[in-house]
Amino acid sequence: MKKISSISLAFALTLGLGFSVIFGANAAVASDDFGEVNIEDATEDAVERYYGEEGVDLKIETNDAQFGLSPEGLDGQSFTVTADIPIESTLYSDETQTGARLITTIHSEPLTSTDIATTSYEIDGIADPYLVKVDDAYKMLDANDRYVVDLAEPWAVDANGVSLSTEYRLEDNILTQTIDYTGAVFPVVADPAWNYSVDHASFYLITGKEKATPARVMAELRRCFNCSFPVAGAPKAFPALNQNITLNASPFSFTKIPAPVRVSAIVSNGFNFRALAGHFDGKDSTINFRFYNDRSGWLHISVSAHIKVDRGAAANAVNQAVAGETWAAFLANLIRRPAL
């Protein structure tokens, strides 16, 4: 195994993200040209089209490649993934700001119905993981309801850019992605993306409200937003969609770190902010807050972000440490509100 990268990033409101991605040292040596279709070009086109990015850096891997993901200072857990892809397929990896994508390109239609399950991932190092759906994505938790990692919404597209029906199944530490190939033009590209976020659970908060639902939490925030939201400058009234808010991201009362944001989304279980000009982490950085219950009923807060400016290792480390305290305080404030 060799270490490919170690990145620590910070975002607005003292959220820090850091991770290490470790890929297997063995890279496949194989041609990417299959007939008239260049598989690597087709894969890059599909990934760029889906994510709206240009110049993705794909790395070809062996069919049974191992991938290790490990958070740095976050609430997720380290684990190893062993990918098992079908015959006539190519596996690629692509590092992201908060994790990694594992991309399978299926060259041609499976010959038998048993090949419909396109790719399987054996998860090692986690006790009996399970999935909780949050919005269109998933949280992976272990047998003790502790956060492991985020799993983005599954997707698959054919050579014409047509989205195909696809879903995940997690059983006995094996994550399987299945695809409906009806009418598909090959090659088909499918991508599970693994990402870390800040995730706090209410296990330790002995108030009798540790299993409050997201609906109850959002009702409390609408009653009084800044009674619980722990960042200076937050309004008392729950902010409206597209409302601008001038927050002060400094953890100290005697200094100011301007963090102007706009409310970019409000959903049943959370809300999103987008950074405005003058924000110390860069215009159009984003931060998303989501509340969810695990299978035991414990309330979690999940905070994920995408930043535009990297302030350097030292500043990132400080922000990351403060982030843990800030968003843990947000959850604790909510749980302890008498009106919840």
Side-chain angles (χ1 to χ4, degrees):
M1 303 287 282
K2 66 178 179 180
K3 190 169 184 178
I4 301 296
S5 73
S6 178
I7 303 173
S8 292
L9 300 170
F11 172 72
L13 316 183
T14 65
L15 168 65
L17 292 176
F19 68 96
S20 294
V21 181
I22 305 172
F23 294 117
N26 297 324
V29 179
S31 171
D32 284 329
D33 196 6
F34 296 84
E36 297 180 356
V37 178
N38 183 283
I39 296 298
E40 184 169 359
D41 288 346
T43 306
E44 289 184 355
D45 288 345
V47 174
E48 290 175 358
R49 182 168 53 244
Y50 184 82
Y51 288 107
E53 300 175 0
E54 294 183 0
V56 295
D57 184 21
L58 299 179
K59 301 178 181 66
I60 189 170
E61 305 290 346
T62 58
N63 286 22
D64 58 352
Q66 288 190 339
F67 304 83
L69 279 81
S70 179
E72 295 177 357
L74 298 181
D75 301 287
Q77 300 181 55
S78 301
F79 63 98
T80 301
V81 176
T82 302
D84 181 16
I85 67 174
I87 298 173
E88 294 301 319
S89 299
T90 303
L91 180 67
Y92 298 91
S93 63
D94 178 33
E95 294 181 48
T96 65
Q97 194 177 80
T98 55
R101 302 166 183 151
L102 306 182
I103 303 156
T104 301
T105 301
I106 302 94
H107 308 160
S108 57
E109 187 169 7
L111 298 177
T112 68
S113 59
T114 58
D115 293 326
I116 292 299
T118 60
T119 308
S120 295
Y121 304 92
E122 183 175 359
I123 301 163
D124 188 36
I126 302 298
D128 300 322
Y130 70 95
L131 299 179
V132 176
K133 190 171 185 180
V134 179
D135 298 336
D136 292 325
Y138 295 88
K139 303 288 183 181
M140 184 182 295
L141 307 178
D142 69 9
N144 295 314
D145 304 317
R146 296 179 303 171
Y147 170 72
V148 177
V149 74
D150 288 6
L151 190 60
E153 178 183 10
W155 66 270
V157 298
D158 75 357
N160 290 336
V162 176
S163 294
L164 305 177
S165 177
T166 181
E167 63 182 11
Y168 292 138
R169 183 177 72 254
L170 178 57
E171 295 179 355
D172 299 325
N173 284 68
I174 303 292
L175 177 75
T176 303
Q177 182 176 8
T178 61
I179 299 173
D180 183 353
Y181 295 109
T182 304
V185 178
F186 287 81
V188 167
V189 180
D191 167 28
W194 313 72
N195 305 290
Y196 287 108
S197 60
V198 172
D199 191 289
H200 292 293
S202 61
F203 308 129
Y204 65 96
L205 300 171
I206 311 302
T207 67
K209 302 173 185 176
E210 297 87 354
K211 297 186 177 182
T213 64
R216 284 173 58 191
V217 168
M218 292 298 288
E220 168 59 22
L221 289 174
R222 291 182 183 279
R223 186 194 69 81
C224 180
F225 186 69
N226 67 4
C227 289
S228 300
F229 194 76
V231 181
K236 181 175 181 179
F238 190 87
L241 184 64
N242 295 322
Q243 179 177 336
N244 293 348
I245 308 171
T246 302
L247 296 169
N248 176 14
S250 173
F252 308 108
S253 59
F254 54 84
T255 61
K256 289 186 178 181
I257 301 178
V261 297
R262 174 172 295 157
V263 180
S264 55
I266 301 172
V267 294
S268 63
N269 60 336
F271 53 94
N272 301 352
F273 288 158
R274 180 174 292 273
L276 301 175
H279 195 291
F280 76 97
D281 272 319
K283 184 177 182 291
D284 292 329
S285 296
T286 59
I287 185 167
N288 304 332
F289 300 86
R290 292 294 184 271
F291 300 97
Y292 70 96
N293 297 108
D294 59 37
R295 66 181 178 186
S296 298
W298 302 109
L299 177 69
H300 291 242
I301 183 173
S302 174
V303 187
S304 59
H306 180 83
I307 70 167
K308 297 295 184 179
V309 177
D310 182 359
R311 293 295 180 186
N316 292 340
V318 172
N319 286 347
Q320 184 172 291
V322 176
E325 298 178 4
T326 302
W327 306 129
F330 187 17
L331 181 65
N333 290 346
L334 282 163
I335 292 295
R336 291 168 180 151
R337 296 308 304 170
L340 184 66

PDB file of all heavy atoms in Angstrom, residues 243-275:
ATOM      1  N   GLN A 243     -32.030  34.555   1.770  1.00  0.00           N
ATOM      2  CA  GLN A 243     -31.694  35.634   2.698  1.00  0.00           C
ATOM      3  C   GLN A 243     -30.192  35.676   2.933  1.00  0.00           C
ATOM      4  O   GLN A 243     -29.540  34.641   3.079  1.00  0.00           O
ATOM      5  CB  GLN A 243     -32.405  35.428   4.032  1.00  0.00           C
ATOM      6  CG  GLN A 243     -32.106  36.493   5.080  1.00  0.00           C
ATOM      7  CD  GLN A 243     -32.882  36.277   6.367  1.00  0.00           C
ATOM      8  OE1 GLN A 243     -33.933  35.645   6.370  1.00  0.00           O
ATOM      9  NE2 GLN A 243     -32.367  36.812   7.473  1.00  0.00           N
ATOM     10  N   ASN A 244     -29.624  36.889   2.969  1.00  0.00           N
ATOM     11  CA  ASN A 244     -28.216  37.079   3.278  1.00  0.00           C
ATOM     12  C   ASN A 244     -28.031  37.274   4.776  1.00  0.00           C
ATOM     13  O   ASN A 244     -28.808  37.984   5.413  1.00  0.00           O
ATOM     14  CB  ASN A 244     -27.655  38.287   2.535  1.00  0.00           C
ATOM     15  CG  ASN A 244     -27.612  38.073   1.030  1.00  0.00           C
ATOM     16  OD1 ASN A 244     -27.786  36.959   0.545  1.00  0.00           O
ATOM     17  ND2 ASN A 244     -27.392  39.139   0.288  1.00  0.00           N
ATOM     18  N   ILE A 245     -26.984  36.648   5.321  1.00  0.00           N
ATOM     19  CA  ILE A 245     -26.689  36.743   6.752  1.00  0.00           C
ATOM     20  C   ILE A 245     -25.208  37.051   6.917  1.00  0.00           C
ATOM     21  O   ILE A 245     -24.363  36.377   6.308  1.00  0.00           O
ATOM     22  CB  ILE A 245     -27.010  35.424   7.482  1.00  0.00           C
ATOM     23  CG1 ILE A 245     -28.431  34.954   7.188  1.00  0.00           C
ATOM     24  CG2 ILE A 245     -26.806  35.576   8.978  1.00  0.00           C
ATOM     25  CD1 ILE A 245     -28.710  33.558   7.705  1.00  0.00           C
ATOM     26  N   THR A 246     -24.877  38.040   7.728  1.00  0.00           N
ATOM     27  CA  THR A 246     -23.480  38.361   8.005  1.00  0.00           C
ATOM     28  C   THR A 246     -23.080  37.704   9.317  1.00  0.00           C
ATOM     29  O   THR A 246     -23.360  38.217  10.404  1.00  0.00           O
ATOM     30  CB  THR A 246     -23.257  39.877   8.082  1.00  0.00           C
ATOM     31  OG1 THR A 246     -23.673  40.474   6.851  1.00  0.00           O
ATOM     32  CG2 THR A 246     -21.783  40.194   8.309  1.00  0.00           C
ATOM     33  N   LEU A 247     -22.451  36.563   9.207  1.00  0.00           N
ATOM     34  CA  LEU A 247     -22.021  35.812  10.385  1.00  0.00           C
ATOM     35  C   LEU A 247     -20.586  36.180  10.759  1.00  0.00           C
ATOM     36  O   LEU A 247     -19.806  36.644   9.917  1.00  0.00           O
ATOM     37  CB  LEU A 247     -22.111  34.313  10.103  1.00  0.00           C
ATOM     38  CG  LEU A 247     -23.519  33.764   9.834  1.00  0.00           C
ATOM     39  CD1 LEU A 247     -23.438  32.337   9.315  1.00  0.00           C
ATOM     40  CD2 LEU A 247     -24.392  33.842  11.066  1.00  0.00           C
ATOM     41  N   ASN A 248     -20.257  35.978  12.001  1.00  0.00           N
ATOM     42  CA  ASN A 248     -18.895  36.176  12.496  1.00  0.00           C
ATOM     43  C   ASN A 248     -18.353  34.815  12.905  1.00  0.00           C
ATOM     44  O   ASN A 248     -18.771  34.248  13.913  1.00  0.00           O
ATOM     45  CB  ASN A 248     -18.883  37.146  13.682  1.00  0.00           C
ATOM     46  CG  ASN A 248     -17.500  37.299  14.295  1.00  0.00           C
ATOM     47  OD1 ASN A 248     -16.503  36.892  13.697  1.00  0.00           O
ATOM     48  ND2 ASN A 248     -17.449  37.866  15.489  1.00  0.00           N
ATOM     49  N   ALA A 249     -17.434  34.284  12.095  1.00  0.00           N
ATOM     50  CA  ALA A 249     -16.935  32.927  12.312  1.00  0.00           C
ATOM     51  C   ALA A 249     -15.869  32.840  13.390  1.00  0.00           C
ATOM     52  O   ALA A 249     -15.374  31.757  13.676  1.00  0.00           O
ATOM     53  CB  ALA A 249     -16.387  32.363  11.004  1.00  0.00           C
ATOM     54  N   SER A 250     -15.497  33.952  13.997  1.00  0.00           N
ATOM     55  CA  SER A 250     -14.483  33.913  15.046  1.00  0.00           C
ATOM     56  C   SER A 250     -15.043  33.272  16.308  1.00  0.00           C
ATOM     57  O   SER A 250     -16.159  33.588  16.732  1.00  0.00           O
ATOM     58  CB  SER A 250     -13.996  35.329  15.376  1.00  0.00           C
ATOM     59  OG  SER A 250     -13.132  35.303  16.491  1.00  0.00           O
ATOM     60  N   PRO A 251     -14.274  32.390  16.943  1.00  0.00           N
ATOM     61  CA  PRO A 251     -14.731  31.799  18.205  1.00  0.00           C
ATOM     62  C   PRO A 251     -14.529  32.747  19.393  1.00  0.00           C
ATOM     63  O   PRO A 251     -14.919  32.419  20.510  1.00  0.00           O
ATOM     64  CB  PRO A 251     -13.852  30.557  18.340  1.00  0.00           C
ATOM     65  CG  PRO A 251     -12.591  30.909  17.625  1.00  0.00           C
ATOM     66  CD  PRO A 251     -13.010  31.805  16.479  1.00  0.00           C
ATOM     67  N   PHE A 252     -13.936  33.916  19.147  1.00  0.00           N
ATOM     68  CA  PHE A 252     -13.648  34.865  20.218  1.00  0.00           C
ATOM     69  C   PHE A 252     -14.484  36.136  20.046  1.00  0.00           C
ATOM     70  O   PHE A 252     -14.623  36.657  18.940  1.00  0.00           O
ATOM     71  CB  PHE A 252     -12.162  35.224  20.231  1.00  0.00           C
ATOM     72  CG  PHE A 252     -11.260  34.034  20.253  1.00  0.00           C
ATOM     73  CD1 PHE A 252     -10.531  33.675  19.125  1.00  0.00           C
ATOM     74  CD2 PHE A 252     -11.153  33.247  21.397  1.00  0.00           C
ATOM     75  CE1 PHE A 252      -9.702  32.568  19.141  1.00  0.00           C
ATOM     76  CE2 PHE A 252     -10.330  32.139  21.417  1.00  0.00           C
ATOM     77  CZ  PHE A 252      -9.604  31.795  20.289  1.00  0.00           C
ATOM     78  N   SER A 253     -15.000  36.678  21.145  1.00  0.00           N
ATOM     79  CA  SER A 253     -15.872  37.841  21.097  1.00  0.00           C
ATOM     80  C   SER A 253     -15.134  39.121  20.724  1.00  0.00           C
ATOM     81  O   SER A 253     -15.736  40.073  20.235  1.00  0.00           O
ATOM     82  CB  SER A 253     -16.568  38.033  22.453  1.00  0.00           C
ATOM     83  OG  SER A 253     -15.606  38.204  23.479  1.00  0.00           O
ATOM     84  N   PHE A 254     -13.801  39.146  20.933  1.00  0.00           N
ATOM     85  CA  PHE A 254     -13.044  40.366  20.694  1.00  0.00           C
ATOM     86  C   PHE A 254     -12.465  40.451  19.276  1.00  0.00           C
ATOM     87  O   PHE A 254     -11.748  41.395  18.954  1.00  0.00           O
ATOM     88  CB  PHE A 254     -11.913  40.499  21.726  1.00  0.00           C
ATOM     89  CG  PHE A 254     -11.004  39.304  21.797  1.00  0.00           C
ATOM     90  CD1 PHE A 254      -9.933  39.152  20.925  1.00  0.00           C
ATOM     91  CD2 PHE A 254     -11.238  38.299  22.737  1.00  0.00           C
ATOM     92  CE1 PHE A 254      -9.102  38.047  20.978  1.00  0.00           C
ATOM     93  CE2 PHE A 254     -10.404  37.190  22.800  1.00  0.00           C
ATOM     94  CZ  PHE A 254      -9.328  37.055  21.926  1.00  0.00           C
ATOM     95  N   THR A 255     -12.717  39.472  18.443  1.00  0.00           N
ATOM     96  CA  THR A 255     -12.260  39.521  17.054  1.00  0.00           C
ATOM     97  C   THR A 255     -13.408  39.186  16.120  1.00  0.00           C
ATOM     98  O   THR A 255     -14.433  38.638  16.537  1.00  0.00           O
ATOM     99  CB  THR A 255     -11.118  38.518  16.809  1.00  0.00           C
ATOM    100  OG1 THR A 255     -11.606  37.184  17.066  1.00  0.00           O
ATOM    101  CG2 THR A 255      -9.924  38.807  17.679  1.00  0.00           C
ATOM    102  N   LYS A 256     -13.232  39.529  14.840  1.00  0.00           N
ATOM    103  CA  LYS A 256     -14.246  39.234  13.843  1.00  0.00           C
ATOM    104  C   LYS A 256     -13.610  38.533  12.647  1.00  0.00           C
ATOM    105  O   LYS A 256     -12.530  38.918  12.198  1.00  0.00           O
ATOM    106  CB  LYS A 256     -14.938  40.514  13.377  1.00  0.00           C
ATOM    107  CG  LYS A 256     -15.858  41.132  14.412  1.00  0.00           C
ATOM    108  CD  LYS A 256     -16.625  42.308  13.828  1.00  0.00           C
ATOM    109  CE  LYS A 256     -17.582  42.891  14.863  1.00  0.00           C
ATOM    110  NZ  LYS A 256     -18.369  44.032  14.313  1.00  0.00           N
ATOM    111  N   ILE A 257     -14.280  37.507  12.177  1.00  0.00           N
ATOM    112  CA  ILE A 257     -13.925  36.843  10.928  1.00  0.00           C
ATOM    113  C   ILE A 257     -15.191  36.865  10.069  1.00  0.00           C
ATOM    114  O   ILE A 257     -16.083  36.023  10.240  1.00  0.00           O
ATOM    115  CB  ILE A 257     -13.442  35.398  11.143  1.00  0.00           C
ATOM    116  CG1 ILE A 257     -12.220  35.374  12.061  1.00  0.00           C
ATOM    117  CG2 ILE A 257     -13.112  34.741   9.804  1.00  0.00           C
ATOM    118  CD1 ILE A 257     -11.711  33.983  12.371  1.00  0.00           C
ATOM    119  N   PRO A 258     -15.317  37.854   9.179  1.00  0.00           N
ATOM    120  CA  PRO A 258     -16.538  37.983   8.389  1.00  0.00           C
ATOM    121  C   PRO A 258     -16.841  36.711   7.603  1.00  0.00           C
ATOM    122  O   PRO A 258     -15.967  36.161   6.931  1.00  0.00           O
ATOM    123  CB  PRO A 258     -16.239  39.156   7.456  1.00  0.00           C
ATOM    124  CG  PRO A 258     -15.163  39.928   8.151  1.00  0.00           C
ATOM    125  CD  PRO A 258     -14.328  38.896   8.857  1.00  0.00           C
ATOM    126  N   ALA A 259     -18.069  36.260   7.712  1.00  0.00           N
ATOM    127  CA  ALA A 259     -18.492  35.059   6.999  1.00  0.00           C
ATOM    128  C   ALA A 259     -19.896  35.279   6.436  1.00  0.00           C
ATOM    129  O   ALA A 259     -20.858  34.641   6.868  1.00  0.00           O
ATOM    130  CB  ALA A 259     -18.466  33.848   7.925  1.00  0.00           C
ATOM    131  N   PRO A 260     -20.041  36.208   5.477  1.00  0.00           N
ATOM    132  CA  PRO A 260     -21.362  36.464   4.891  1.00  0.00           C
ATOM    133  C   PRO A 260     -21.823  35.274   4.057  1.00  0.00           C
ATOM    134  O   PRO A 260     -21.066  34.739   3.248  1.00  0.00           O
ATOM    135  CB  PRO A 260     -21.130  37.698   4.031  1.00  0.00           C
ATOM    136  CG  PRO A 260     -19.677  37.641   3.664  1.00  0.00           C
ATOM    137  CD  PRO A 260     -18.990  37.041   4.855  1.00  0.00           C
ATOM    138  N   VAL A 261     -23.052  34.851   4.271  1.00  0.00           N
ATOM    139  CA  VAL A 261     -23.601  33.704   3.549  1.00  0.00           C
ATOM    140  C   VAL A 261     -25.013  33.999   3.080  1.00  0.00           C
ATOM    141  O   VAL A 261     -25.673  34.925   3.570  1.00  0.00           O
ATOM    142  CB  VAL A 261     -23.608  32.435   4.433  1.00  0.00           C
ATOM    143  CG1 VAL A 261     -22.202  32.026   4.827  1.00  0.00           C
ATOM    144  CG2 VAL A 261     -24.472  32.651   5.670  1.00  0.00           C
ATOM    145  N   ARG A 262     -25.457  33.219   2.111  1.00  0.00           N
ATOM    146  CA  ARG A 262     -26.837  33.270   1.638  1.00  0.00           C
ATOM    147  C   ARG A 262     -27.469  31.907   1.882  1.00  0.00           C
ATOM    148  O   ARG A 262     -26.820  30.873   1.671  1.00  0.00           O
ATOM    149  CB  ARG A 262     -26.893  33.623   0.157  1.00  0.00           C
ATOM    150  CG  ARG A 262     -28.297  33.564  -0.454  1.00  0.00           C
ATOM    151  CD  ARG A 262     -28.279  34.127  -1.863  1.00  0.00           C
ATOM    152  NE  ARG A 262     -27.943  35.545  -1.835  1.00  0.00           N
ATOM    153  CZ  ARG A 262     -27.429  36.207  -2.874  1.00  0.00           C
ATOM    154  NH1 ARG A 262     -27.165  35.553  -4.009  1.00  0.00           N
ATOM    155  NH2 ARG A 262     -27.167  37.487  -2.773  1.00  0.00           N
ATOM    156  N   VAL A 263     -28.706  31.895   2.317  1.00  0.00           N
ATOM    157  CA  VAL A 263     -29.423  30.634   2.495  1.00  0.00           C
ATOM    158  C   VAL A 263     -29.782  30.107   1.107  1.00  0.00           C
ATOM    159  O   VAL A 263     -30.612  30.687   0.408  1.00  0.00           O
ATOM    160  CB  VAL A 263     -30.683  30.833   3.352  1.00  0.00           C
ATOM    161  CG1 VAL A 263     -31.408  29.496   3.517  1.00  0.00           C
ATOM    162  CG2 VAL A 263     -30.325  31.425   4.701  1.00  0.00           C
ATOM    163  N   SER A 264     -29.152  29.019   0.694  1.00  0.00           N
ATOM    164  CA  SER A 264     -29.330  28.511  -0.668  1.00  0.00           C
ATOM    165  C   SER A 264     -30.330  27.370  -0.767  1.00  0.00           C
ATOM    166  O   SER A 264     -30.765  27.017  -1.868  1.00  0.00           O
ATOM    167  CB  SER A 264     -27.978  28.053  -1.235  1.00  0.00           C
ATOM    168  OG  SER A 264     -27.368  27.103  -0.385  1.00  0.00           O
ATOM    169  N   ALA A 265     -30.703  26.780   0.370  1.00  0.00           N
ATOM    170  CA  ALA A 265     -31.706  25.710   0.351  1.00  0.00           C
ATOM    171  C   ALA A 265     -32.266  25.517   1.748  1.00  0.00           C
ATOM    172  O   ALA A 265     -31.552  25.682   2.743  1.00  0.00           O
ATOM    173  CB  ALA A 265     -31.111  24.397  -0.165  1.00  0.00           C
ATOM    174  N   ILE A 266     -33.550  25.203   1.804  1.00  0.00           N
ATOM    175  CA  ILE A 266     -34.207  24.818   3.053  1.00  0.00           C
ATOM    176  C   ILE A 266     -35.012  23.556   2.756  1.00  0.00           C
ATOM    177  O   ILE A 266     -35.853  23.546   1.857  1.00  0.00           O
ATOM    178  CB  ILE A 266     -35.146  25.921   3.578  1.00  0.00           C
ATOM    179  CG1 ILE A 266     -34.364  27.217   3.828  1.00  0.00           C
ATOM    180  CG2 ILE A 266     -35.831  25.466   4.865  1.00  0.00           C
ATOM    181  CD1 ILE A 266     -35.264  28.401   4.175  1.00  0.00           C
ATOM    182  N   VAL A 267     -34.732  22.486   3.482  1.00  0.00           N
ATOM    183  CA  VAL A 267     -35.424  21.218   3.275  1.00  0.00           C
ATOM    184  C   VAL A 267     -36.022  20.769   4.591  1.00  0.00           C
ATOM    185  O   VAL A 267     -35.841  21.407   5.628  1.00  0.00           O
ATOM    186  CB  VAL A 267     -34.465  20.153   2.704  1.00  0.00           C
ATOM    187  CG1 VAL A 267     -34.011  20.537   1.306  1.00  0.00           C
ATOM    188  CG2 VAL A 267     -33.257  19.959   3.609  1.00  0.00           C
ATOM    189  N   SER A 268     -36.723  19.671   4.567  1.00  0.00           N
ATOM    190  CA  SER A 268     -37.447  19.227   5.757  1.00  0.00           C
ATOM    191  C   SER A 268     -36.523  18.847   6.905  1.00  0.00           C
ATOM    192  O   SER A 268     -36.929  18.894   8.070  1.00  0.00           O
ATOM    193  CB  SER A 268     -38.351  18.037   5.412  1.00  0.00           C
ATOM    194  OG  SER A 268     -37.569  16.927   4.976  1.00  0.00           O
ATOM    195  N   ASN A 269     -35.273  18.501   6.597  1.00  0.00           N
ATOM    196  CA  ASN A 269     -34.356  18.044   7.640  1.00  0.00           C
ATOM    197  C   ASN A 269     -33.078  18.878   7.727  1.00  0.00           C
ATOM    198  O   ASN A 269     -32.072  18.430   8.271  1.00  0.00           O
ATOM    199  CB  ASN A 269     -33.982  16.579   7.418  1.00  0.00           C
ATOM    200  CG  ASN A 269     -33.293  16.350   6.089  1.00  0.00           C
ATOM    201  OD1 ASN A 269     -33.460  17.117   5.144  1.00  0.00           O
ATOM    202  ND2 ASN A 269     -32.512  15.285   5.995  1.00  0.00           N
ATOM    203  N   GLY A 270     -33.097  20.098   7.175  1.00  0.00           N
ATOM    204  CA  GLY A 270     -31.896  20.918   7.274  1.00  0.00           C
ATOM    205  C   GLY A 270     -31.919  22.117   6.354  1.00  0.00           C
ATOM    206  O   GLY A 270     -32.968  22.523   5.839  1.00  0.00           O
ATOM    207  N   PHE A 271     -30.727  22.679   6.130  1.00  0.00           N
ATOM    208  CA  PHE A 271     -30.602  23.886   5.313  1.00  0.00           C
ATOM    209  C   PHE A 271     -29.177  24.001   4.804  1.00  0.00           C
ATOM    210  O   PHE A 271     -28.255  23.353   5.327  1.00  0.00           O
ATOM    211  CB  PHE A 271     -30.981  25.134   6.129  1.00  0.00           C
ATOM    212  CG  PHE A 271     -30.245  25.264   7.428  1.00  0.00           C
ATOM    213  CD1 PHE A 271     -29.084  26.015   7.530  1.00  0.00           C
ATOM    214  CD2 PHE A 271     -30.709  24.629   8.585  1.00  0.00           C
ATOM    215  CE1 PHE A 271     -28.398  26.129   8.735  1.00  0.00           C
ATOM    216  CE2 PHE A 271     -30.035  24.743   9.803  1.00  0.00           C
ATOM    217  CZ  PHE A 271     -28.868  25.491   9.874  1.00  0.00           C
ATOM    218  N   ASN A 272     -28.981  24.837   3.763  1.00  0.00           N
ATOM    219  CA  ASN A 272     -27.678  25.049   3.144  1.00  0.00           C
ATOM    220  C   ASN A 272     -27.323  26.524   3.156  1.00  0.00           C
ATOM    221  O   ASN A 272     -28.201  27.383   2.995  1.00  0.00           O
ATOM    222  CB  ASN A 272     -27.664  24.576   1.679  1.00  0.00           C
ATOM    223  CG  ASN A 272     -27.990  23.118   1.515  1.00  0.00           C
ATOM    224  OD1 ASN A 272     -28.104  22.366   2.479  1.00  0.00           O
ATOM    225  ND2 ASN A 272     -28.150  22.695   0.270  1.00  0.00           N
ATOM    226  N   PHE A 273     -26.035  26.811   3.280  1.00  0.00           N
ATOM    227  CA  PHE A 273     -25.503  28.162   3.116  1.00  0.00           C
ATOM    228  C   PHE A 273     -24.535  28.168   1.938  1.00  0.00           C
ATOM    229  O   PHE A 273     -23.799  27.200   1.722  1.00  0.00           O
ATOM    230  CB  PHE A 273     -24.729  28.629   4.356  1.00  0.00           C
ATOM    231  CG  PHE A 273     -25.589  28.939   5.552  1.00  0.00           C
ATOM    232  CD1 PHE A 273     -25.029  28.918   6.825  1.00  0.00           C
ATOM    233  CD2 PHE A 273     -26.931  29.259   5.433  1.00  0.00           C
ATOM    234  CE1 PHE A 273     -25.787  29.212   7.943  1.00  0.00           C
ATOM    235  CE2 PHE A 273     -27.709  29.543   6.549  1.00  0.00           C
ATOM    236  CZ  PHE A 273     -27.133  29.526   7.810  1.00  0.00           C
ATOM    237  N   ARG A 274     -24.499  29.299   1.204  1.00  0.00           N
ATOM    238  CA  ARG A 274     -23.494  29.541   0.171  1.00  0.00           C
ATOM    239  C   ARG A 274     -22.758  30.821   0.520  1.00  0.00           C
ATOM    240  O   ARG A 274     -23.382  31.836   0.813  1.00  0.00           O
ATOM    241  CB  ARG A 274     -24.135  29.648  -1.215  1.00  0.00           C
ATOM    242  CG  ARG A 274     -23.122  29.904  -2.340  1.00  0.00           C
ATOM    243  CD  ARG A 274     -23.785  29.847  -3.708  1.00  0.00           C
ATOM    244  NE  ARG A 274     -24.208  28.502  -4.013  1.00  0.00           N
ATOM    245  CZ  ARG A 274     -23.449  27.577  -4.592  1.00  0.00           C
ATOM    246  NH1 ARG A 274     -22.190  27.871  -4.917  1.00  0.00           N
ATOM    247  NH2 ARG A 274     -23.904  26.374  -4.854  1.00  0.00           N
ATOM    248  N   ALA A 275     -21.429  30.777   0.493  1.00  0.00           N
ATOM    249  CA  ALA A 275     -20.628  31.928   0.883  1.00  0.00           C
ATOM    250  C   ALA A 275     -20.737  33.047  -0.140  1.00  0.00           C
ATOM    251  O   ALA A 275     -20.749  32.819  -1.354  1.00  0.00           O
ATOM    252  CB  ALA A 275     -19.170  31.511   1.042  1.00  0.00           C
TER     253      ALA A 275
END
